[in-house]
Every structure is written in C-alpha cells, then in structure tokens.
Amino acid sequence: MRILIKNIKTLVQVDDNDRSRVCGAEMKNLPSINDAWLAIDDGLIADHGKMDDFPGISDWTKLTVIDATDKLVFPGWCDSHTHIVYADSRESEFVDRLNGLSYEQIAQRGGGILNSAQRLRNASEEELIQSALVRLDEVMKQGTCAVEIKSGYGLSLESELKMLRVIKKLKELSPLTIKATFLGAHAVPAEYKGDKARYISLIIDKMLPAIAEEKLAEYCDVFCENNYFTKEESIKILEAGLKHGLKPKVHAEQLSNSGGVEAGVYCNAISVDHLEYVEEKEIELIKNSITMPTILPGAQFFLQLPHPPVRKMINAGLPVAIASDYNPGSSPSGNMNLMIALSCIQYKMTPEEAINAATINTAYAMDLSTTHGSIAIGKKANVFITKEIPGYSFLPYSFGSNLIETVIINGTIIKQ
Ligand code: NIG
Ligand code: FE
C-alpha cells in the first residue's frame, strides 16, 4: 500500500532521524515544512518535500492520494506512561474526593490502587483484553501511535503475570506499538500489610524471574512515595530488574519529595515520571543523565496537585516529555491532545515545546526514537492529518475539540 499526502499546509516535526531527544532551549524549535507532500510506502515514510519541488507521480500502482489542503500532518503521539489495562472505572472515588477526601485518605481506606487490584484479580484475561482494546482504539483515533502499558494492579505473582500476558496479547491484537512495564512495586497488597519486606522479596525472588523467563516486560517501574516504596527499596527493586534485563522507570515526586528522581538517576532510569514535587536538587541530578523527565498533566490536573516546575527544568537545559498516565484513579483520560493543551495552559509550555515533548521525547522514553516521534525517511508511517486549522498552535488553543480527521498507523489508514 502506498499513500501520497499532498498540499499539506504544514508538515510538522520533520527531521533526518538525527535526534533522539530534544533538550532545553532547543525544545522551542519544531522543524516543519509549509506547503508540503509526504510519501508512504510499505508501512514506512518514503519521502517528503515542498510542493514546489514535488517530482510528480510516475507509478500509480496501489497509490492512495490524499489532498491535505489547509490541513496539518503530524507524527503520531507517543504516550510513554499508561496503566491502560484495568478492570473497572473508579468514579465513586472521584466523587469522594469532590466531597473532601484526599487521594491518600482514599488509599488508606483500601481504595485507590488496592481497589483496582481487587477488581483486576477477579477479571478474566479476555475481559481485560477487550476493555483495553477499546481504550487503545480510542487513543489511536486521538492521534496516539505508540503506548507504554504498566502492570501494577495485580500485586500477586499470578495476577501480575496475568496483566503482563494481557499486554503481550495487546501487542499482537492492536495496530499500535506497545511497550510493557512491570510495576509490581505499585503498592503493598492487603495480604502483605505490615510486611513490606516480604512483598519486596516476592517481587525480586519470584515475580521478576518469572517475567524475565516469559519475556513479558521491557521495563521495571516503582512507585517511590511515602506509604509506598522508599528510595532505598526502589533502588533495590530496580537493580533486581536490571539483572533480568528490565530497564528502570520511576513514579517520582508525585505526592511528596521522596527520593524517586535520586533512585531513578542512580539506576540510569530511562525516565522519571510525575515530578510535581521536584526541587533544584533533582534538576541538578537529571542534568547530564540519560533520564527523561516526564510530566503527566492529566494526573496533576485530576488530583489538583502542584504544577511540576517545567519552566525551571527547561531553563536548566533538561528535556521534558509529556505522557497521559491513562488510569482509572488519577487520570481517566489518554487524550494526548488534552495533555498538550494542559501543559501549555497550566505550565506555560510553548506549543513547540509541548509537541516536541509528546513526540520525540516520549519516543525516547520508550526506546522508540529511531522509528517513531518524528517525520523522517525510514521511520514508521505513523501520522495523523488534522481537520482544516490555521496552524499547530491551534491544537492546544482549542482544547477539548477533536481536530484529528485521519490517522495512519504503519501505513494503513484507520477509519475514524
Ligand atoms: O501514576 N502514582 C501511582 N500510580 C498511578 C495511579 C494509579 C491509581 O490511582 O490507580 C499514577 O498516578
Ligand atoms: Fe502512573
């Protein structure tokens, strides 16, 4: 299948596959071509250029031509942090919070992550696959082409394996590119209450070897937070994961300043995520590291947490990535267009910075920057075409509107 998109008003985020991530002041640059064409062949980006230099069509075999007059073309969003596999929604906790309870208070009553764990344990693999496929289809139509999915609602050997097997099945069934993360250290399950050390032993001695044996995950994540896992415990678990070939990621500084960034940078984590309580010392630590600081504006907004210090991080020369954290407790949305809008409106990121953060920088945070995250010859043909809009800043400006008209995944046009 070949596709030619012509008369593109702006082809956004074009490069030569020479950037793996974008840092600091560079994030203000969003390389784009006005009045452009884009050719797709065999699932890959074949060529692109300005309409003035368009060579014409010599071979019409199996060619679909799309006229994108007044429309923009973007690389698909990469969402490097989600918990998209879960059994049930948790709107009753949302109402409890509206009535004055905090996220922490709900968790202490057995709600929160433990509530999701209870429900997931009672759900079949098939039910989990079907509900996750609906969510993946929804985010795909909102322009997402690659998704990282975490376990962490199982919290027993059996149920963590069940979740990760579901994610493995989703990799086969969904057209999206999917990466799997083991998050056994999401919370201490009820049956281990008061004996966290024994649960950590279960993670290290039983869960990790079984996951490695079945090759069920690429990453190992830890919720480093008061009442969850300490910095020291996080390092211990991440190092055990590394021994099994799982790269570290960390839920860091979401509800308090608890050492998550320190643990992550120490273990060469590919990303540290959330970051609402990041201070100067964490910014210094991330400098000169390979770690991608990732903000999750959906969770910050939904839980009404303090803003992460995004401007300070970018001014210090750090890269920043934006992911959705799609999950039933703290971010029941996987809409990356909304995440970008929230980042601009709330944290004063420029549209260029936010688009870089949700494409090339999130691709980096899931080891996909050679194949995803920009329009480059040879990369996967994962792009979306907007409706008629004045320019890319219109995307975060008109938050809440659906401005995506056509999605192409691996060179196949997806029906809206
Ligand atoms: O990323 N912070 C920890 N984990 C999730 C929330 C999960 C839940 O509440 O179910 C998060 O926000
Ligand atoms: Fe999360």
Side-chain angles (χ1 to χ4, degrees):
M1 167 113 167
R2 295 159 64 231
I3 303 171
L4 171 71
I5 312 174
K6 59 175 194 175
N7 298 325
I8 304 166
K9 184 177 176 121
T10 309
L11 181 60
V12 180
Q13 185 67 308
V14 188
D15 65 20
D16 296 326
N17 203 349
D18 53 353
R19 302 171 306 157
S20 62
R21 58 180 193 168
V22 188
C23 306
E26 249 186 90
M27 288 188 71
K28 281 209 161 56
N29 296 330
L30 185 65
S32 304
I33 306 176
N34 291 329
D35 197 20
W37 58 275
L38 175 72
I40 292 170
D41 195 356
D42 204 16
L44 300 177
I45 292 172
D47 209 351
H48 56 71
K50 278 190 87 67
M51 281 310 288
D52 283 349
D53 307 321
F54 182 55
I57 302 167
S58 48
D59 177 7
W60 286 87
T61 355
K62 290 191 185 150
L63 180 69
T64 304
V65 179
I66 301 174
D67 188 330
T69 300
D70 289 329
K71 299 170 183 176
L72 274 60
V73 174
F74 285 73
W77 308 126
C78 293
D79 189 352
S80 59
H81 183 138
T82 83
H83 308 249
I84 222 168
V85 173
Y86 57 84
D88 286 297
S89 56
R90 300 202 325 244
E91 65 278 3
S92 63
E93 293 179 7
F94 167 59
V95 176
D96 288 343
R97 279 196 299 107
L98 299 181
N99 285 320
L101 287 183
S102 70
Y103 183 79
E104 290 93 327
Q105 283 167 329
I106 291 168
Q108 269 151 21
R109 300 199 310 187
I113 296 165
L114 295 189
N115 180 5
S116 281
Q118 183 68 41
R119 294 171 190 227
L120 185 128
R121 287 174 183 189
N122 295 328
S124 70
E125 267 188 44
E126 197 45 40
E127 285 165 342
L128 294 170
I129 290 168
Q130 289 312 322
S131 59
L133 278 175
V134 172
R135 291 175 204 122
L136 285 171
D137 191 63
E138 179 195 11
V139 298
M140 178 168 67
K141 288 171 179 163
Q142 292 164 343
T144 297
C145 69
V147 182
E148 180 258 16
I149 310 177
K150 299 175 196 296
S151 69
Y153 290 136
L155 308 181
S156 68
L157 175 63
E158 192 194 2
S159 297
E160 282 296 306
L161 287 175
K162 175 167 77 175
M163 271 193 96
L164 289 166
R165 289 184 188 129
V166 165
I167 300 171
K168 190 172 182 179
K169 200 77 192 156
L170 294 173
K171 290 184 181 184
E172 288 166 26
L173 296 174
S174 167
L176 298 182
T177 302
I178 295 175
K179 294 276 185 155
T181 298
F182 167 56
L183 178 57
H186 200 187
V188 178
E191 61 276 21
Y192 284 82
K193 197 171 178 200
D195 199 357
K196 188 163 38 160
R198 204 161 59 86
Y199 182 61
I200 294 174
S201 298
L202 177 74
I203 291 176
I204 293 176
D205 301 334
K206 295 278 189 322
M207 293 186 186
L208 276 168
I211 289 158
E213 168 84 24
E214 271 190 65
K215 295 195 174 34
L216 288 174
E218 281 94 12
Y219 304 104
C220 178
D221 197 342
V222 180
F223 187 18
C224 183
E225 187 59 63
N226 276 334
N227 300 324
Y228 292 85
F229 296 88
T230 64
K231 179 179 83 183
E232 291 73 22
E233 289 162 346
S234 300
I235 291 174
K236 193 171 163 190
I237 294 163
L238 296 175
E239 286 186 332
L242 271 167
K243 285 202 186 106
H244 290 284
L246 272 59
K247 285 194 191 178
K249 277 180 172 274
V250 185
H251 280 69
E253 333 301 344
Q254 181 189 16
L255 307 174
S256 65
N257 188 283
S258 337
V261 166
E262 220 180 315
V265 172
Y266 177 78
C267 295
N268 283 322
I270 188 154
S271 73
V272 286
D273 303 22
H274 282 292
L275 311 181
E276 282 81 352
Y277 284 87
V278 150
E279 296 169 6
E280 292 295 335
K281 66 180 190 305
E282 280 82 27
I283 293 179
E284 281 308 308
L285 281 172
I286 300 171
K287 270 188 201 168
N288 306 316
S289 77
I290 61 156
T291 304
M292 176 61 68
T294 303
I295 53 165
L296 307 172
Q300 178 276 316
F301 175 66
F302 194 68
L303 298 184
Q304 292 285 289
L305 300 170
H307 294 179
V310 176
R311 289 255 54 94
K312 275 191 184 162
M313 294 197 284
I314 295 178
N315 290 345
L318 301 189
V320 169
I322 298 172
S324 77
D325 198 15
Y326 196 172
N327 78 76
S330 67
S331 185
S333 167
N335 187 339
M336 287 293 282
N337 306 286
L338 177 62
M339 303 305 147
I340 289 167
L342 288 173
S343 303
C344 294
I345 297 162
Q346 300 204 105
Y347 316 145
K348 308 282 183 283
M349 289 179 85
T350 66
E352 293 82 2
E353 289 171 336
I355 293 166
N356 275 315
T359 53
I360 192 73
N361 282 357
T362 32
Y364 175 95
M366 51 206 297
D367 288 299
L368 288 176
S369 49
T370 58
T371 50
H372 295 65
S374 69
I375 305 283
I377 295 171
K379 281 198 178 186
K380 302 260 185 212
N382 289 324
V383 304
F384 64 80
I385 308 171
T386 66
K387 297 176 181 168
E388 292 182 11
I389 59 171
Y392 56 69
S393 299
F394 194 77
L395 224 66
Y397 160 81
S398 52
F399 75 98
S401 292
N402 177 11
L403 298 171
I404 296 179
E405 190 167 80
T406 308
V407 176
I408 299 174
I409 301 286
N410 295 325
T412 301
I413 300 169
I414 304 289
K415 284 242 166 323
Q416 276 292 11

